[in-house]
């Protein structure tokens, strides 16, 4: 637990990122509500973004990802938004057809 | 300095735009369609026509035959094939023969798909602006996948290809199955993308670069210095996570679950697109990533990495292929069966990659040839699968059913359809003299070549597994053929009052005849593809 | 005449082909041969008559060129032989395999014999088979409703088969190599199959035909093995030398070795395959094939000394003999011959007594040069056992044809015994004489059967009154087979045909006994005892049939003497049975039987032979003709025959003894004999059932194992599909995911209830799979590295 | 004129294809037109072959004195894989081609009973014919493989649509078995291709094996020139040319690379190819498709299956397995021979146990084709035999003759079964009897053909059997003796079947009234078969005439190979073993 006493560094970023990632996964896996799952996905993406930011920062490491990391983070944010928009639309469509957004009810297709 | 930078960027961008011509044309087409829609033009002109024109234009801009000239002899071709591998946009993308070849195949496929859409009823005029936009958009994403040279583009392209696909699956309003499939697809895709992105972040962090060749260089430096334990774990973990994302696109086992559900829920036209275009792009991406990571200045440095990747891809390919073939046995829905068949074919496609990895450094020319074999398989697979899905679409239109049971006695109801589908399915098995055999022959030939050159046991196993899978797949493809040709018409079968029209049947023959007759002269295709890929490893 | 000698092969070939022509003509043109194929008989008879004429003409040519008795074996003169090449079946690396001929005195004698008897029988048949001209009611073929079968007659078909048989038999005699022998061997078997099964509607007939064919095939199997051994080592199957190419005989008994038996180089080489290979592999320098061959030749004496190849020659001999065992109905393959009596009686006379069954003896005689003493001992043993078994069963048989059949078996045993003991001429001589009197006996029995419509002797009796010609000729036959004769009249023995040949046999066995006391005593006892038994059962048959009072009045009343066309052949054959072996013909400058045969004695069979593995000596044949042997043997033979006849008379003519009583007091023995030593039952149980059991095993194996395996694989595929689909996805992985989800839920939050849903499972699976793969790879790398 | 001959050879393949296409445009209702048209096409395939068979016309006749390949048609096809359209006739393929043409003509004659979907039947039939001709004609491995597979699909439909009650099971079983065999073959094909290297051949060998290349103008390069071109090539120049592969297999170390388990490329290739061909032959234990396929197939297709398709397995073994992979062939000869003998015994035993007439005949095919495998496998030209090729020569010739003979007798037997099946619609051996009385002419012909199957001298089955069996002795006396023993079993099942079907007092099965004498059309099919059975039995030289030189040449080549290549290898191995023994001794 020594890293709790260290100044903020890469490992902290990574830890938070990993935490977010795991949270997101758990969220995706446990939520029955489609919106909840979408939130989980956002969390996963944010975990990754945090990693990129951490890796890109020149303050933590001499050799770093640099601008690329930041750029990727920015792009991912935008993409996440786009993806969320489409996913929400699809969820809405699902609701229109099934009158629910409980993903457990989406079980017509199987086999 | 800023000026130099800007100047540099401008020249680079301008030069790069040339290599991006096809994508730009497609973008322009999208814009055009959207504009046309804004001005209510689409009610008068079906936007599918616009999309087809756009695709044609893109094909012309891509000009796959120049500087290739198939009329020349193979010896000369080699020199022509050396289209210099150009990095575009400061190394974000790469433009080379391999990319052009796969893109050409995609565009040809797109043309055929648009014609199919015109002939079927699922995506009518009202939907067509949305639908064509989505299709073209996804295609641009796939183009980026094909020519990616940077992890950002990897992610971006996958998302660009996926997101419109989600929407396409759900495009029919009021379709319960479609909406469910779309939801599953979207969630699964997004999840996979998330995992992949996380893997990418780890890898980039470790190698401190996002540019694939640079990453490879760093990796070779790292490996030559000796990897620490945690680094190895991180690398493997990252590789697996990235693979998860790619495997999702390829519908490789164990990331395949979405595939049958989505194919069943989506229309056959979308199924065709997903099963061909998306697989083609994904396998091209796999080649890029795997080789980008595996290729370095000194081939011996990354031998372990390559053999690890070959092992990983090879095992996944074998499992995918076997699983797909086995799981298809029990299917009753044609689209679902084709979905599993797609999974199996994804396995065959992936099988072409390990010999490539094994041959790099041993015999680069042979490795390039293997990439060509993959292209050949893709080219053939494109026709066969499109044809099969087209039949499903036509029959859905005429009798409203996609159950295999209802195809009974098809030979009497609509002989053309039955014969065409039979030919296509048998071709999917890979039996001579149909085109499917050419693809299989090439891919297995690549594996055999790799095996004999390297003596890698994995490749021998793969060859055997691949060949035996061919025999296994016989069962379910032939079951459909049997139902159509030998089973009597069931009273409970869905009625078909009017068979597919003359146009539809002509379309089927147009797709089937090349499948039937390709064996007579596939040299030009092989030469063209080999020339295109000859520069992949130099 | 001598100038015609070069045309001899052609003449004989025409004699062979004439019946074939008749066969083809009848086969294809039966409907044009008069009503119901009436002229088929005429055609076939004409053809075989022409063959007879040609044969005797050839004999004339031959014996003019090579007078009988002119060859002096004492001076080691080689018998005259004409060999040649007919046409090629295939060329194999320079060797021709084809149709060859081998003509010597034996061939000529056999030709005359076969054609003459065949002609008699053809004439006889034209009358005997007369019923077949019209529609036939077959009493023995019952339909399911109990009615007798009505069928059209098959007169033409009968003669068609008979013609084919004549062709095959003559071809067999003319054969110049084992392959051709085998070809005709099989063809006579086929004809035998056709003729035994002539009444195709009778199940017994077709079963008997099949039995005959299959049992013969067992023999043929052995013959094939013998041929393989010869072909594999000597590279030829020809008997004699043809165009510089050495035949088998000259390789085994080469001139350079004074015609003494020597294991040929080829056999030594084949047997020494391992040694040669070792030479090639372990030579210090690489050898060319020529060098290797030279080395092999250098080693040859050493190997020959070690008896390498001797076993191969034994196999070859035994194999060929095996074929003869089948064809000549020797123990243990004798079981088919009695059943073969299902065929029409002329067939039994021609095929199953006079000619085809004698072919085995003929082939042993023909192959004599390659038979080692060890092999000949086996021949003798088989012959000895056969003669006893045949004779013993004939004692109790009541079917007149079966008595004759067993008698045939027994007499064939005699021939084999003679050959096995070194009596080449004796065996061949008995073959000829036996053919004459046995065909006579069969034709006689046919005449009887024709008259009384039954085969069962208990329903006959007293027939001599009704059919004196038949009774008389048959009596001649019985006397001949019993071997009645006077040992010395004016220094020459006088007797019926059988006397001479049987006497020769006994003499040879006697001579054999003096060299090999153990085997010889047994053989001699059997031969002498057999002579007694022969006389007994033949006269039992004669007495039961012709003597005494009629036992079935109805049949007796209907009985009548046969028409002339049947009687004339009987008389002809009776004359032959009396005088065929008379040495007195030489007074008229005619070739006598014994001299003709003697002329054909193969080169080298004029000295004692000694076995290398077993201690056996085969005396050369002249040793049996010394006075010290001939006088006691002659007396013993005559005594045995007379004793047999007397005994038969005691039982059946004078009725001093009651056969019923005797059979009752020796019941077990009687029963065993009556059931033919239980051979059929044992064979049925062991071989037929065994084979069928194996067959069913094979079939079941296919259906249950291999097919199941394949089907199972397919089902496994489908199952796996279902499994991966249902179980693995739904239960296995899903279960794991459920469990995992559940655990996550318990660990994470107790506030929310969690219910799994498929989409969430899918998503979960992304992570689960990645982790699982990671673990797998870790373990795999660990396992590889540490 | 020479070119004309080449067109004729090529037309053998394309005639049926064109015929099939023309058929598509004929009216489906006019069944007799369709049938006669198809018959005419099969006749058109036979006629040129007859022309080639006849001596006299130098430009067309088969030159019996030439052991090499004749009438070579060679066109560049897929240059990027060096695949050529390469056809040729030699003594091994020509008799089989004749057989193909004859049997398919007769089987078409037997197809008149097919009354459903005649058009499709005829089209598929002609495609099948094209495939079969193609297999025997092609000298390019790729082409061979393509034709090999071309036959599968028509066959599948022919069994599956026009067959008996369990036709679909039988059809898929046939397909699956054969496909497994052919994918294994594909692996071997690829392995051989990628290991082949034309640079290792001398100009003479290149010329002998018709290795050809075309320059940019499409003109054929001379061997010398091509050799020069090859020599400067940096990469191995691969080839599918079967003749070149044979040369490579026998004259170079191209296929000796060690692969899995220390076995060489050719060892593996041989095993894979052999399994593929053994399935087709079919050899125990890969034979179970055959009884089902035969039983369910319609009569003409059974004739084709037994008469022709099985022969392809044997053809493949002699054409591809042995000459290309001699080393493996030498080492595995015992395996091949054992499989042959096991098939013979097993097939005969199984035939004995059948009660279905057709099934019995089918198992007899398994048994008879065992002779073929045995005959091809008896590599007795070893050091121990002083490299004497005679026995092997005899074995190969016997095997080839057996293929021809069996082609005729088995087709005949199946036809004969079909004739009676058409009348009474059952095949239960125990429910026949008495056909002799009802159909005498039919019975006579059937017996003749069954006796031919039994291997009776004077008929076509004999020569092959006896040659094979005789030749086996020098390889292994035990195997030879077992093989010889099969003659007993063969006689057993054939005679028993004849007894149950043809003999006996009366027929005791259903539809007795339908038992009418064989009709003219059936006679037209049966008589040629009977005549051929006799003629080939009496004058086998008319077949040997064609195959002699080629077989002699192949066997001599392989014997020379044993002498010059294999012996030193064996010596080296032996020396190594000796050294090891010496080293292990203290």
């Amino acid at each position: 637990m020594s890293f709790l006493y260290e100044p903020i560094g890469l490992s902290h970023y990574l830890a938070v990122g990993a935490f977010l990632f795991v949270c997101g996964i758990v969220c995706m896996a446990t939520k029955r509500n489609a919106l909840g799952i979408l939130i989980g996905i956002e969390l996963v993406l944010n975990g990754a973004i945090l990693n990129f930011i951490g890796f890109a920062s020149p303050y933590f490491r001499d050799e770093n990802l640099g601008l690329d990391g930041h750029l990727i983070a920015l792009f991912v944010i935008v993409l996440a938004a786009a993806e969320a928009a489409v996913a929400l639309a699809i969820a809405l469509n699902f609701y229109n057809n099934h009158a629910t957004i409980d993903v457990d009810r989406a079980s017509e297709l199987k086999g | 300095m800023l000026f130099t930078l800007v100047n540099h960027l401008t020249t680079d961008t301008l030069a790069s735009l040339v290599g991006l011509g096809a994508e730009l044309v497609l973008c322009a087409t999208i814009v055009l369609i959207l504009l046309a829609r804004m001005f209510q033009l689409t009610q008068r002109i079906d936007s599918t026509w616009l999309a087809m024109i756009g695709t044609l234009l893109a094909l012309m801009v891509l000009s796959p035959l120049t500087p290739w000239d198939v009329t020349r002899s193979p010896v000369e071709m080699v020199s022509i094939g050396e289209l210099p591998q150009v990095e575009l946009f400061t190394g974000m993308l790469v433009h080379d023969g391999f990319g052009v070849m796969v893109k050409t195949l995609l565009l040809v496929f797109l043309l055929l798909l648009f014609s199919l859409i015109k002939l079927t009823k699922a995506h009518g005029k009202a939907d067509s602006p949305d639908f064509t936009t989505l299709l073209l958009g996804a295609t641009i994403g796939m183009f980026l996948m094909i020519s990616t040279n940077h992890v950002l583009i990897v992610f971006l392209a996958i998302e660009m290809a996926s997101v419109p696909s989600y929407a396409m699956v759900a495009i029919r309003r009021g379709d319960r199955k479609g909406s469910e499939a779309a939801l599953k697809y979207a969630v699964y895709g997004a999840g996979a993308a998330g995992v992949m992105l996380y893997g990418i972040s780890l890898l980039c962090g470790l190698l401190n670069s996002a540019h694939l060749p640079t990453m490879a260089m760093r990796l070779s430096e790292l490996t030559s210095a000796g990897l620490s334990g945690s680094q190895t774990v991180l690398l493997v973990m990252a590789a697996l996570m990235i693979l998860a994302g790619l495997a999702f696109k390829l519908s490789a086992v164990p990331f395949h679950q979405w595939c049958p559900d989505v194919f069943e829920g989506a229309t056959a036209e979308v199924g065709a697109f997903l099963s061909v275009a998306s697989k083609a792009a994904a396998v091209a991406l796999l080649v890029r990533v795997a080789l980008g990571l595996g290729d370095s200045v000194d081939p011996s440095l990354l031998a372990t990495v390559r053999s690890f990747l070959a092992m990983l891809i090879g095992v996944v390919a074998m499992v995918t292929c076997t699983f797909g073939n086995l799981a298809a046995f029990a299917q009753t829905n044609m689209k679902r069966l084709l979905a599993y068949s797609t999974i199996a074919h994804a396995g065959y496609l992936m099988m072409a990659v390990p010999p490539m990895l094994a041959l790099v450094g041993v015999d680069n020319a042979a490795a390039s040839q293997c990439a060509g074999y993959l292209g050949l398989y893709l080219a053939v697979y494109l026709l066969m699968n499109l044809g099969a899905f087209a039949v499903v679409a036509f029959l859905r239109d005429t009798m409203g059913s996609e159950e295999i049971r209802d195809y009974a006695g098809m030979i009497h109801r609509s002989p053309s359809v039955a014969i065409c589908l039979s030919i296509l399915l048998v071709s999917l098995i890979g039996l001579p003299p149909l085109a499917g055999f050419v693809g299989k022959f090439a891919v297995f030939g690549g594996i055999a070549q790799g095996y004999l050159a390297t003596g890698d046991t994995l490749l021998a196993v793969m060859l055997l597994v691949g060949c035996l899978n061919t025999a296994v797949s016989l069962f379910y493809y032939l079951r459909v053929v049997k139902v159509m040709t030998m089973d009597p018409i069931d009273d409970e079968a869905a009625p078909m009052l009017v068979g597919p029209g003359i146009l539809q049947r002509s379309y089927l023959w147009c797709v089937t005849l090349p499948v039937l007759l390709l064996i007579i002269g596939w040299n030009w295709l092989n030469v063209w593809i080999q020339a295109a890929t000859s520069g992949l490893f130099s | 005449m001598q100038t015609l000698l070069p045309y001899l092969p052609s003449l004989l070939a025409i004699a062979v082909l004439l019946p074939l022509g008749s066969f083809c003509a009848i086969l294809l043109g039966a409907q044009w041969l008069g009503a119901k194929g009436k002229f088929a008989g005429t055609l076939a008879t004409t053809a075989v008559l022409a063959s007879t004429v040609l044969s005797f003409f050839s004999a004339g040519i031959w014996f003019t060129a090579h007078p009988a008795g002119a060859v002096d074996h004492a001076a080691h003169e080689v018998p005259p032989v004409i060999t040649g090449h007919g046409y090629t079946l295939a060329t194999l690396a320079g060797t021709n395999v084809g149709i060859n001929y081998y003509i010597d005195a034996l061939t000529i004698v056999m030709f005359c014999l076969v054609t003459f008897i065949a002609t008699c029988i053809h004439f006889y048949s034209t009358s005997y088979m007369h019923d077949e001209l019209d529609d036939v009611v077959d009493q023995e073929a019952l339909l399911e409703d109990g009615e007798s079968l009505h069928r059209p007659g098959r007169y033409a078909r009968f003669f068609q088969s008979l013609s084919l048989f004549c062709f095959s038999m003559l071809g067999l005699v003319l054969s110049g190599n084992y392959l051709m022998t085998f070809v005709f061997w099989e063809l006579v078997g086929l004809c035998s199959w056709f003729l035994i099964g002539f009444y195709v509607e009778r199940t017994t007939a077709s079963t008997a035909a099949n039995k005959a064919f299959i049992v013969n095939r067992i023999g043929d199997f052995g013959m094939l093995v013998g041929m393989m051994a010869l072909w594999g080592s000597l590279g030829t199957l020809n008997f004699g030398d043809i165009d510089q190419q050495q035949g088998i005989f000259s390789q085994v008994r080469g001139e350079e070795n004074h015609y003494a038996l020597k294991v040929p180089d080829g056999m030594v080489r084949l047997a020494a395959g391992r040694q040669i290979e070792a030479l090639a592999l372990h030579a210090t320098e690489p050898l060319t094939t020529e060098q290797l061959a030279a080395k092999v030749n250098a080693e040859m004496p050493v190997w020959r000394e070690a008896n390498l190849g001797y076993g191969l020659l034994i196999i070859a001999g035994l194999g060929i003999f095996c074929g003869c065992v089948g064809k000549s109905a020797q123990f243990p393959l004798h079981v088919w011959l009695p059943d073969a009596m299902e065929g029409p009686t002329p067939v039994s006379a021609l095929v199953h007594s006079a000619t085809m069954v004698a072919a085995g003896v003929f082939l042993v005689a023909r192959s004599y040069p390659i038979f080692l003493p060890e092999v000949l001992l086996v021949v003798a043993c088989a012959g000895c056992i056969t003669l006893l078994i045949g004779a013993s069963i004939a004692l109790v048989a009541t079917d007149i044809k079966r008595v004759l059949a067993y008698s045939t078996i027994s007499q064939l045993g005699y021939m084999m015994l003679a050959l096995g003991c070194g009596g080449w001429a004796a065996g061949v001589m008995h073959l000829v004489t036996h053919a004459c009197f046995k065909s006579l006996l069969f034709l006689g029995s046919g005449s009887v059967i024709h008259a009384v419509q039954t085969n069962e002797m208990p329903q006959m009796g007293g027939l001599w009154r009704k059919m004196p010609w038949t009774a008389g000729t048959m009596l001649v036959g019985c006397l001949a087979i019993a071997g009645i004769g006077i040992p010395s009249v004016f220094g020459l023995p006088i007797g019926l045909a059988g006397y001479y040949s049987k006497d020769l046999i006994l003499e040879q066995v006697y001579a054999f006994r003096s060299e090999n006391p153990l085997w010889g005593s047994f053989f001699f006892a059997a031969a002498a005892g057999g002579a007694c038994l022969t006389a007994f059962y033949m006269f039992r048959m004669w007495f039961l049939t012709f003597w005494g009072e009629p036992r079935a009045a109805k049949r007796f009343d209907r009985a009548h003497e046969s028409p002339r066309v049947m009687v004339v052949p009987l008389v002809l054959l009776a004359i032959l049975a009396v005088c065929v072996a008379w040495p007195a013909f030489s007074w008229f400058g005619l070739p006598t039987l014994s001299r003709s045969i003697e002329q054909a004695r193969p080169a080298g069979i004029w000295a004692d032979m000694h076995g290398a593995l077993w201690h056996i000596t085969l005396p050369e044949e002249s040793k049996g003709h010394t006075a010290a042997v001939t006088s006691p043997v002659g007396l013993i033979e005559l005594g045995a025959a007379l004793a047999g006849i007397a005994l038969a008379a005691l039982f059946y003519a004078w009725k001093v003894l009651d056969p019923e009583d005797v059979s009752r007091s020796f019941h077990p023995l009687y029963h065993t004999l009556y059931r033919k030593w239980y051979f059929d039952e044992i064979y049925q149980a062991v071989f037929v059932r065994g084979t069928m059991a194996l067959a069913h095993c094979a079939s079941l194996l296919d259906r249950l194992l291999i097919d199941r395996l394949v089907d199972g694989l397919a089902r496994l595929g489908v199952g796996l599909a279902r499994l991966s689909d249902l179980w693995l996805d739904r239960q296995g992985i899903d279960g794991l995911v459920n469990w995992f989800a559940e655990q996550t839920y318990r660990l994470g939050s107790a506030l929310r209830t969690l219910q799994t849903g498929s989409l969430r499972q899918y998503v979960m699976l992304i992570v689960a799979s990645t982790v699982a793969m990671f673990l797998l790879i870790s373990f795999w790398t660990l396992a590889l590295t540490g | 004129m020479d070119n004309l001959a080449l067109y004729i050879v090529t037309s053998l393949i394309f005639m049926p294809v064109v015929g099939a296409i023309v058929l598509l445009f004929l009216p489906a209702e006019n069944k007799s037109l369709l049938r006669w048209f198809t018959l005419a096409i099969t006749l058109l395939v036979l006629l040129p072959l007859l022309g080639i068979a006849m001596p006299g016309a130098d430009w067309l006749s088969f030159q019996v004195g030439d052991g090499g390949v004749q009438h070579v048609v060679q066109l560049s096809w897929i240059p990027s894989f060096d695949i050529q359209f390469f056809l040729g006739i030699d003594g091994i393929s020509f008799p089989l081609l004749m057989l193909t043409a004859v049997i398919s003509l007769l089987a078409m004659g037997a197809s008149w009973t097919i009354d459903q979907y005649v058009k499709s039947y005829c089209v598929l039939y002609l495609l099948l014919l094209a495939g079969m001709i193609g297999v025997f004609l092609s000298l390019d491995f790729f082409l061979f493989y393509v034709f090999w597979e071309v036959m599968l699909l028509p066959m599948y439909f022919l069994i599956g649509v026009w067959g008996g009650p369990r036709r679909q099971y039988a059809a898929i079983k046939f397909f699956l078995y054969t496909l497994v065999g052919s994918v294994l073959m594909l692996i071997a094909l690829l392995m051989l291709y990628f290991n082949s290297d034309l640079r290792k051949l001398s100009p003479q060998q290149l010329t002998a094996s018709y290795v050809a290349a075309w320059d940019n103008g499409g003109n054929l390069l001379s061997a010398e020139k091509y050799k020069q071109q090859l020599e400067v090539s940096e990469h191995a120049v691969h080839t599918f040319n079967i003749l070149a592969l044979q040369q490579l297999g026998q004259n170079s170390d191209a296929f000796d690379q060690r692969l899995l388990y220390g076995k060489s490329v050719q060892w593996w290739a041989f095993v894979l190819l052999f399994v593929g061909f053994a399935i087709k032959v079919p050899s125990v234990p890969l034979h179970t498709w055959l009884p089902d396929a035969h039983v369910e197939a319609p009569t003409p297709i059974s004739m084709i299956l037994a008469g022709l398709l099985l022969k392809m397995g044997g053809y493949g073994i002699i054409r591809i397995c042995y000459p290309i992979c001699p080393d493996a062939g030498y080492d595995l000869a015992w395996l091949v021979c054992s499989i042959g003998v096991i098939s013979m015994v097993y097939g005969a035993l199984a035939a004995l146990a059948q009660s279905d007439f057709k099934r019995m005949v089918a198992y007899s095919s398994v048994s008879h084709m065992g002779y073929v495998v045995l005959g091809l496998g008896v590599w007795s030209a070893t050091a121990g035999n002083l490299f004497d090729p005679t026995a092997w020569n005899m074995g190969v010739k016997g095997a080839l003759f057996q293929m021809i003979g069996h082609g005729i007798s088995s087709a005949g037997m199946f036809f004969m079964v079909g004739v009676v099946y058409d009348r009474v619609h059952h095949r239960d051996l125990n429910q026949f009897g008495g056909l002799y009385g009802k159909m005498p002419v039919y019975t006579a012909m059937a017996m003749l053909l069954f006796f031919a199957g039994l291997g009776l001298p004077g008929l076509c089955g004999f020569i092959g059997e006896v040659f094979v069996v005789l030749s086996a002795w020098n390889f292994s006396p035990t195997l030879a003796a077992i093989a010889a023993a099969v003659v007993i079993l063969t006689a057993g099942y054939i005679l028993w079947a004849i007894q149950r079907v043809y003999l006996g007092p009366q027929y005791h099965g259903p539809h007795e009234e339908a038992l009418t004498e064989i009709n003219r059309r059936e006679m037209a099919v049966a008589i040629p078969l009977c005549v051929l059975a006799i003629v080939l039995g009496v004058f086998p030289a008319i077949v040997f005439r064609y195959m002699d030189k080629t077989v002699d040449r192949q066997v001599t080549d392989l014997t020379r190979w044993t002498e010059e290549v294999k012996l030193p290898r064996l010596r080296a191995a032996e020396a190594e073993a000796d050294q090891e023994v010496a080293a292990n001794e203290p």
Side-chain angles (χ1 to χ4, degrees), chain C residues 227-355:
Chain C
M227 281 163 65
M228 285 192 265
L230 288 170
W231 167 261
S233 53
L234 306 181
T236 179
L237 288 172
N238 294 343
F239 296 144
D241 306 350
I242 298 174
D243 309 335
Q244 313 299 323
Q245 196 197 341
Q246 272 205 316
I248 292 173
F249 294 167
S250 56
Q251 288 195 41
V252 177
R253 290 174 180 270
E255 194 181 354
E256 71 286 353
N257 202 27
H258 306 293
Y259 304 104
L261 197 143
K262 188 185 83 172
V263 180
D265 288 357
M267 285 204 171
V268 180
R269 213 178 290 131
L270 186 66
R274 276 169 200 281
Q275 284 88 332
I276 299 176
E277 200 171 337
L279 273 184
L281 290 181
H282 293 285
T284 40
E285 293 288 310
L287 299 173
T288 64
T289 310
E290 290 74 31
Q291 288 168 325
L292 185 61
K295 263 196 148 174
V296 167
N297 283 339
E299 292 279 337
M300 198 65 87
V302 183
W303 291 335
R304 184 170 279 131
E305 201 58 34
N307 274 339
L308 277 178
Y310 199 79
L312 207 54
L313 196 52
I314 290 186
I315 290 177
L318 282 183
I320 300 293
F321 175 60
C322 190
C324 305
V325 167
K327 196 106 302 184
S328 286
Q330 297 295 292
F331 169 81
L333 300 181
H334 61 276
V335 290
W336 66 270
L337 188 57
D339 287 4
M341 298 302 132
E342 285 288 341
T345 307
V347 172
S348 308
L350 178 63
V351 181
H352 301 120
S353 69
T355 54

